[in-house]
Amino acid sequence: MATINDNYLKLKAGYLFPEIARRVNKFATENPQAPIIRLGIGDVTEPLPAACREAMIKAVEDMGDRDKFKGYGPEQGYAWLREKIAAQDFQARGCDISADEIFISDGSKCDNGNILDIFGDNNSIAVTDPVYPVYVDTNVMAGHTGEANEKGEYGGLVYLPVTAENNFTAQIPSQKVDLIYLCFPNNPTGAVATREHLQAWVDYAKANGSIIFFDAAYEAFISDPTIPHSIYEIPGARDCAIEFRSFSKNAGFTGTRCALSVVPKTLTAKASDGSDVELWKLWNRRQSTKFNGVSYVVQRGAEAVYSIEGQAQTKALVSFYLENAKIIREQMSAAGLQVYGGVNAPYVWVKTPDNITSWDFFDKLLFNSNVVVTPGSGFGAAGEGYFRISAFNSRDNVNEAMKRISAQFK
Ligand SMILES: *Cc1c(COP(=O)(O)O)cnc(C)c1O
């Protein structure tokens, strides 16, 4: 008799976004005329940069030319793309990262989950609360947790609360953890980490033999020049950190699919016999065995991000969303709400008024303003009493949504 991976039964059935969809659909069915604006899900809305489109069209033509046609590419990604990433994203910022330490993939979500393949099952794992749900659910699937309690917290995980009180940057744990997920600029709170904060994490990881998973999907949104874009800007990080990046948010690739992981060759972890094993070798083996690379066409599109035109166009795209975030911040503040984030990130994290719960406020905005936001409690227990507004939308929708929400507080 075939059996299943029972760990899947522990999952809180993809609670957040399906529940939002259920409530929005019910409301839309009962109020078919309601002009609903969705500022919930963090997906981009603006078209792909012209430089990326042109490069992909040219690449499609290559595929129709016998001499330029490409079959299987390197599982790690084409060298011409990895070299540009190493030079422009890392070396230009003083990070000692070489092209062969970069692995091209079809998404950071996948990388964040797949990386667990090369780690043992007995690691203690720390996540922030609130958190990007992928970090938690992939560990549940891998059998690294117990059951969830009524707050949705899984046994065996170390939750590090991030709230206004600690500036949305987790306190370094007092106990020893082996794997730590950090995401800066943060989804959902929009918070960033200072150099000093990241240095404290690197020092902790080095002292405890821990590995940091650093999710930098939103690094392009950093506008404060003192904030590091990469964990490798921090001395010592080559010995304790894996970084994940994506073209989804800076270049609008959520539907095109291209991302990268960085595994420095100096990074090691323990085998059960106590020996040190290079993680680069394991990740290279894992990718070569279970992955056959990102399509040539898409990698050419990603490469165009590094051209002069591509840089200007992606910068304009990011600025557009950051201007939306600024409008959201200003309008919500003017309405008397306490706002966080949205300066170096496309997310604004807002305190609900009068201590209303996240879901009650979600319903209020849906019913009275026909605006969809994301309830903070859906990202973790410490997100209760907050909600997230995404800046990924058209300017008209953002302006209209802000006008409607503000009207409720007049
Ligand atoms: C959007 C996002 C990513 C990117 O995921 P892709 O699979 O590359 O589209 C990664 N991490 C976080 C926290 C995100 O919000």
Side-chain angles (χ1 to χ4, degrees):
M1 186 82 83
T3 63
I4 60 151
N5 175 351
D6 273 280
N7 295 308
Y8 277 64
L9 304 180
K10 295 178 194 162
L11 292 165
K12 289 293 224 182
Y15 172 68
L16 178 58
F17 290 103
E19 177 60 17
I20 292 175
R22 193 189 67 76
R23 292 189 191 210
V24 173
N25 290 341
K26 181 167 182 287
F27 178 77
T29 310
E30 290 164 5
N31 304 274
Q33 310 301 334
I36 297 172
I37 297 177
R38 291 175 168 80
L39 299 180
I41 292 183
D43 194 0
V44 298
T45 54
E46 303 308 299
L48 279 185
C52 301
R53 295 198 313 266
E54 284 156 16
M56 285 194 276
I57 290 166
K58 187 166 168 294
V60 169
E61 295 301 338
D62 289 349
M63 295 301 265
D65 178 338
R66 182 158 233 303
D67 296 328
K68 293 181 183 161
F69 171 81
K70 299 276 188 286
Y72 289 124
E75 290 96 345
Q76 301 82 357
Y78 284 101
W80 34 259
L81 176 56
R82 300 166 85 198
E83 278 156 14
K84 289 190 181 72
I85 294 169
Q88 297 190 40
D89 283 344
F90 295 101
Q91 292 157 11
R93 290 195 180 275
C95 305
D96 174 19
I97 293 296
S98 62
D100 59 357
E101 294 173 320
I102 292 166
F103 294 80
I104 308 300
S105 80
D106 60 348
S108 258
K109 191 197 217 182
C110 332
D111 286 340
N112 268 294
N114 292 338
I115 198 72
L116 294 176
D117 268 16
I118 66 167
F119 286 91
D121 290 327
N122 296 321
N123 290 305
S124 56
I125 296 158
V127 294
T128 62
D129 174 11
V131 67
Y132 180 53
V134 173
Y135 313 147
V136 172
D137 288 359
T138 52
N139 275 291
V140 175
M141 291 171 175
H144 297 166
T145 73
E147 300 286 341
N149 66 16
E150 68 290 343
K151 279 158 73 188
E153 296 168 331
Y154 289 92
L157 290 184
V158 175
Y159 287 91
L160 308 171
V162 288
T163 57
E165 288 69 43
N166 58 24
N167 240 331
F168 301 99
T169 48
Q171 202 164 355
I172 310 288
S174 44
Q175 75 267 50
K176 204 166 132 91
V177 292
D178 303 309
L179 303 177
I180 304 140
Y181 289 86
L182 296 179
C183 175
F184 290 113
N186 189 260
N187 177 8
T189 66
V192 287
T194 61
R195 193 168 293 277
E196 294 68 36
H197 184 68
L198 292 181
Q199 185 71 62
W201 273 114
V202 167
D203 293 345
Y204 169 90
K206 288 191 61 158
N208 291 286
S210 329
I211 302 285
I212 296 169
F213 295 144
F214 191 75
D215 186 342
Y218 296 96
E219 65 75 32
F221 292 82
I222 294 173
S223 37
D224 176 345
T226 68
I227 300 296
H229 288 239
S230 167
I231 189 84
Y232 304 115
E233 291 179 51
I234 308 302
R238 270 187 67 83
D239 303 322
C240 64
I242 290 174
E243 182 162 306
F244 301 104
R245 287 203 180 192
S246 173
F247 293 94
S248 284
K249 312 297 164 40
N250 64 339
F253 271 47
T254 54
T256 306
R257 312 304 304 141
C258 198
L260 57 119
S261 57
V262 185
V263 183
K265 289 194 166 168
T266 43
L267 196 58
T268 63
K270 295 281 181 205
S272 54
D273 67 4
S275 61
D276 292 310
V277 177
E278 289 169 37
L279 291 169
W280 183 92
K281 284 191 178 155
L282 301 189
W283 186 237
N284 191 49
R285 184 60 197 260
R286 191 264 170 218
Q287 291 298 80
S288 308
T289 303
K290 293 196 184 182
F291 186 56
N292 246 338
V294 175
S295 91
Y296 169 71
V297 173
V298 168
Q299 290 192 64
R300 282 295 187 200
E303 182 192 26
V305 167
Y306 298 92
S307 66
I308 289 168
E309 307 77 53
Q311 288 288 291
Q313 290 162 8
T314 48
K315 204 163 166 232
L317 206 49
V318 166
S319 301
F320 172 80
Y321 292 127
L322 282 175
E323 181 63 26
N324 281 351
K326 184 163 176 265
I327 293 168
I328 295 169
R329 275 181 64 89
E330 288 173 357
Q331 294 290 311
M332 293 298 88
S333 288
L337 296 172
Q338 185 66 51
V339 302
Y340 305 93
V343 176
N344 298 286
Y347 298 120
V348 182
W349 189 243
V350 189
K351 188 90 190 76
T352 61
D354 309 321
N355 290 318
I356 317 177
T357 68
S358 298
W359 277 113
D360 284 350
F361 199 69
F362 170 90
D363 284 338
K364 204 167 135 74
L365 288 185
L366 177 61
F367 298 156
N368 300 342
S369 309
N370 306 156
V371 175
V372 181
V373 297
T374 314
S377 56
F379 296 102
E384 180 59 274
Y386 292 91
F387 60 101
R388 187 190 76 175
I389 305 182
S390 165
F392 289 126
N393 221 308
S394 68
R395 185 64 44 79
D396 284 352
N397 275 351
V398 167
N399 282 330
E400 173 63 20
M402 291 306 107
K403 203 171 90 194
R404 289 195 214 155
I405 300 177
S406 302
Q408 284 201 39
F409 293 93
K410 290 240 163 74

